[in-house]
Amino acid sequence: MMACQWGPQHPDRALLARVGALVAAEARQFHDRHGVALTVHQHRGRPLQTADEVAAYAARFDGVSSALTADTAHLALCGVDPARFLRDFAPLIDLVHLKDLRDGAFIWLGDGTLDLGSCFVALAETGYDRALVADVYESPGPADMPAAARRWIAERVLRPMRAAP
Protein backbone atom coordinates (compact mmCIF):
# COMPACT_ATOMS: atom_id res chain seq x y z
CA MET A 1 0.00 0.00 0.00
CA MET A 2 1.49 3.37 -1.02
CA ALA A 3 0.88 6.68 0.71
CA CYS A 4 1.78 10.21 -0.28
CA GLN A 5 1.60 12.32 2.83
CA TRP A 6 -0.57 15.42 3.13
CA GLY A 7 0.08 18.48 5.26
CA PRO A 8 2.27 21.54 5.54
CA GLN A 9 5.55 21.73 3.69
CA HIS A 10 8.73 21.54 5.79
CA PRO A 11 7.16 20.70 9.16
CA ASP A 12 9.06 20.60 12.43
CA ARG A 13 11.42 17.58 12.65
CA ALA A 14 10.08 16.59 16.09
CA LEU A 15 6.55 16.48 14.70
CA LEU A 16 7.73 14.41 11.74
CA ALA A 17 9.44 11.96 14.10
CA ARG A 18 6.29 11.59 16.26
CA VAL A 19 3.99 11.10 13.28
CA GLY A 20 6.46 8.74 11.60
CA ALA A 21 6.69 6.61 14.75
CA LEU A 22 2.88 6.35 14.88
CA VAL A 23 2.72 5.44 11.20
CA ALA A 24 5.44 2.80 11.63
CA ALA A 25 3.61 1.23 14.60
CA GLU A 26 0.30 1.13 12.73
CA ALA A 27 1.99 -0.24 9.62
CA ARG A 28 3.62 -3.00 11.68
CA GLN A 29 0.28 -4.04 13.19
CA PHE A 30 -1.46 -3.93 9.81
CA HIS A 31 1.33 -5.96 8.23
CA ASP A 32 1.18 -8.55 11.02
CA ARG A 33 -2.59 -8.94 10.60
CA HIS A 34 -2.95 -8.70 6.83
CA GLY A 35 0.49 -9.18 5.28
CA VAL A 36 0.33 -5.81 3.52
CA ALA A 37 3.20 -3.33 3.80
CA LEU A 38 3.12 0.46 3.65
CA THR A 39 5.49 2.44 1.47
CA VAL A 40 5.66 6.22 1.83
CA HIS A 41 6.46 8.32 -1.22
CA GLN A 42 8.72 11.36 -0.77
CA HIS A 43 7.11 14.01 -2.92
CA ARG A 44 7.60 17.64 -3.94
CA GLY A 45 5.01 19.92 -2.37
CA ARG A 46 4.35 17.55 0.55
CA PRO A 47 5.70 17.36 4.12
CA LEU A 48 8.49 14.92 3.18
CA GLN A 49 10.71 16.68 0.66
CA THR A 50 14.28 16.78 1.95
CA ALA A 51 16.49 13.90 3.08
CA ASP A 52 16.45 15.35 6.62
CA GLU A 53 12.64 15.36 6.66
CA VAL A 54 12.52 11.77 5.40
CA ALA A 55 15.13 10.69 7.97
CA ALA A 56 13.14 12.20 10.84
CA TYR A 57 9.87 10.68 9.64
CA ALA A 58 11.23 7.23 8.80
CA ALA A 59 13.46 6.75 11.85
CA ARG A 60 11.22 3.92 13.13
CA PHE A 61 10.53 2.33 9.74
CA ASP A 62 11.76 -1.23 9.36
CA GLY A 63 11.89 -1.65 5.57
CA VAL A 64 9.41 -4.54 5.75
CA SER A 65 6.09 -3.36 7.18
CA SER A 66 6.97 0.30 6.64
CA ALA A 67 9.23 1.42 3.82
CA LEU A 68 10.01 4.25 1.42
CA THR A 69 9.39 4.90 -2.25
CA ALA A 70 12.25 6.79 -3.91
CA ASP A 71 11.21 8.92 -6.89
CA THR A 72 14.24 10.14 -8.84
CA ALA A 73 12.56 13.24 -10.29
CA HIS A 74 10.76 14.33 -7.12
CA LEU A 75 14.00 13.96 -5.17
CA ALA A 76 15.85 16.14 -7.67
CA LEU A 77 13.07 18.75 -7.70
CA CYS A 78 13.44 19.00 -3.91
CA GLY A 79 17.21 19.52 -4.14
CA VAL A 80 18.06 15.98 -3.05
CA ASP A 81 20.69 13.96 -4.93
CA PRO A 82 18.72 10.85 -5.96
CA ALA A 83 21.77 8.55 -6.01
CA ARG A 84 22.83 9.61 -2.52
CA PHE A 85 19.26 9.14 -1.27
CA LEU A 86 19.21 5.63 -2.75
CA ARG A 87 22.42 4.82 -0.89
CA ASP A 88 21.53 6.53 2.39
CA PHE A 89 18.06 4.99 2.67
CA ALA A 90 18.77 1.67 0.91
CA PRO A 91 17.54 -0.59 3.75
CA LEU A 92 14.18 1.20 3.81
CA ILE A 93 13.49 1.52 0.06
CA ASP A 94 11.07 -1.00 -1.41
CA LEU A 95 10.05 0.85 -4.57
CA VAL A 96 11.96 3.11 -6.97
CA HIS A 97 10.12 5.37 -9.38
CA LEU A 98 12.46 5.97 -12.30
CA LYS A 99 11.50 9.32 -13.71
CA ASP A 100 13.54 11.79 -15.73
CA LEU A 101 13.28 15.57 -15.62
CA ARG A 102 13.86 18.50 -17.93
CA ASP A 103 13.10 22.15 -17.12
CA GLY A 104 11.00 21.11 -14.12
CA ALA A 105 8.79 18.74 -16.15
CA PHE A 106 8.73 14.96 -16.04
CA ILE A 107 10.03 13.55 -19.30
CA TRP A 108 10.58 10.18 -20.98
CA LEU A 109 13.44 8.22 -19.38
CA GLY A 110 16.76 9.19 -20.87
CA ASP A 111 15.45 12.36 -22.53
CA GLY A 112 15.89 14.54 -19.46
CA THR A 113 18.77 15.98 -17.51
CA LEU A 114 18.92 13.70 -14.47
CA ASP A 115 22.02 11.58 -14.00
CA LEU A 116 20.10 8.33 -13.91
CA GLY A 117 23.32 6.41 -14.46
CA SER A 118 24.49 7.34 -10.95
CA CYS A 119 21.14 6.08 -9.61
CA PHE A 120 21.68 2.72 -11.30
CA VAL A 121 25.18 2.50 -9.86
CA ALA A 122 23.76 3.26 -6.39
CA LEU A 123 21.11 0.57 -6.80
CA ALA A 124 23.75 -1.95 -7.88
CA GLU A 125 26.15 -1.01 -5.06
CA THR A 126 23.44 -1.40 -2.44
CA GLY A 127 22.20 -4.70 -3.86
CA TYR A 128 18.72 -3.33 -4.52
CA ASP A 129 16.48 -6.18 -5.68
CA ARG A 130 13.00 -4.83 -5.23
CA ALA A 131 10.51 -3.03 -7.48
CA LEU A 132 11.38 -0.50 -10.20
CA VAL A 133 8.65 1.52 -11.91
CA ALA A 134 9.23 3.53 -15.09
CA ASP A 135 7.12 6.65 -14.59
CA VAL A 136 6.18 8.84 -17.52
CA TYR A 137 3.85 11.80 -17.33
CA GLU A 138 4.11 14.70 -19.74
CA SER A 139 6.16 13.18 -22.51
CA PRO A 140 4.64 11.41 -25.48
CA GLY A 141 7.51 8.91 -25.56
CA PRO A 142 7.39 5.87 -27.84
CA ALA A 143 4.06 4.59 -29.15
CA ASP A 144 4.38 1.36 -27.18
CA MET A 145 5.48 2.82 -23.85
CA PRO A 146 5.36 -0.40 -21.78
CA ALA A 147 7.59 -2.28 -24.24
CA ALA A 148 9.91 0.72 -24.57
CA ALA A 149 10.14 1.05 -20.78
CA ARG A 150 11.00 -2.65 -20.42
CA ARG A 151 13.75 -2.34 -23.08
CA TRP A 152 15.10 0.86 -21.53
CA ILE A 153 15.23 -0.70 -18.05
CA ALA A 154 16.85 -3.89 -19.39
CA GLU A 155 19.52 -1.94 -21.29
CA ARG A 156 20.15 0.96 -18.90
CA VAL A 157 19.38 -0.55 -15.51
CA LEU A 158 19.62 -4.32 -15.40
CA ARG A 159 22.68 -4.72 -17.58
CA PRO A 160 24.79 -2.16 -15.63
CA MET A 161 23.54 -3.55 -12.30
CA ARG A 162 24.59 -7.07 -13.28
CA ALA A 163 28.01 -5.80 -14.40
CA ALA A 164 28.69 -3.95 -11.11
CA PRO A 165 31.09 -5.60 -8.65
Side-chain angles (χ1 to χ4, degrees), residues 1-11 16 19-20 23 38-50 53-54 57-58 61 67-71 74-75 78 85:
M1 172 174 27
M2 180 189 291
C4 284
Q5 65 289 345
W6 188 258
Q9 293 185 43
H10 308 296
L16 283 174
V19 172
V23 168
L38 170 72
T39 185
V40 175
H41 189 315
Q42 173 278 350
H43 206 283
R44 178 181 65 165
R46 304 280 192 243
L48 302 181
Q49 294 188 61
T50 69
E53 290 165 350
V54 172
Y57 186 82
F61 281 26
L68 297 171
T69 293
D71 184 309
H74 278 283
L75 288 163
C78 293
F85 187 93

Side-chain angles (χ1 to χ4, degrees), residues 111-136:
D111 287 348
T113 57
L114 287 184
D115 179 7
L116 293 172
S118 66
C119 294
F120 306 143
V121 169
L123 292 170
E125 289 174 352
T126 61
Y128 185 79
D129 63 355
R130 296 173 98 176
L132 295 169
V133 174
D135 269 356
V136 179

Side-chain angles (χ1 to χ4, degrees), residues 7-152:
Q9 293 185 43
H10 308 296
D12 173 85
R13 299 301 185 276
L15 174 62
L16 283 174
R18 286 194 307 275
V19 172
L22 291 171
V23 168
E26 288 295 321
R28 199 167 296 111
Q29 289 178 11
F30 192 81
H31 183 266
D32 290 347
R33 273 184 265 156
H34 306 288
V36 176
L38 170 72
T39 185
V40 175
H41 189 315
Q42 173 278 350
H43 206 283
R44 178 181 65 165
R46 304 280 192 243
L48 302 181
Q49 294 188 61
T50 69
D52 289 343
E53 290 165 350
V54 172
Y57 186 82
R60 301 270 178 100
F61 281 26
D62 61 18
V64 177
S65 63
S66 52
L68 297 171
T69 293
D71 184 309
T72 55
H74 278 283
L75 288 163
L77 285 170
C78 293
V80 177
D81 175 356
R84 181 172 178 173
F85 187 93
L86 292 169
R87 285 185 184 92
D88 291 350
F89 292 94
L92 297 179
I93 296 171
D94 72 344
L95 177 60
V96 176
H97 281 187
L98 296 172
K99 202 180 300 174
D100 213 339
L101 189 65
R102 185 184 332 128
D103 300 326
F106 303 131
I107 194 80
W108 181 251
L109 292 173
D111 287 348
T113 57
L114 287 184
D115 179 7
L116 293 172
S118 66
C119 294
F120 306 143
V121 169
L123 292 170
E125 289 174 352
T126 61
Y128 185 79
D129 63 355
R130 296 173 98 176
L132 295 169
V133 174
D135 269 356
V136 179
Y137 283 76
E138 299 169 12
S139 173
D144 186 1
M145 291 170 96
R150 281 192 302 276
R151 281 192 305 275
W152 194 90

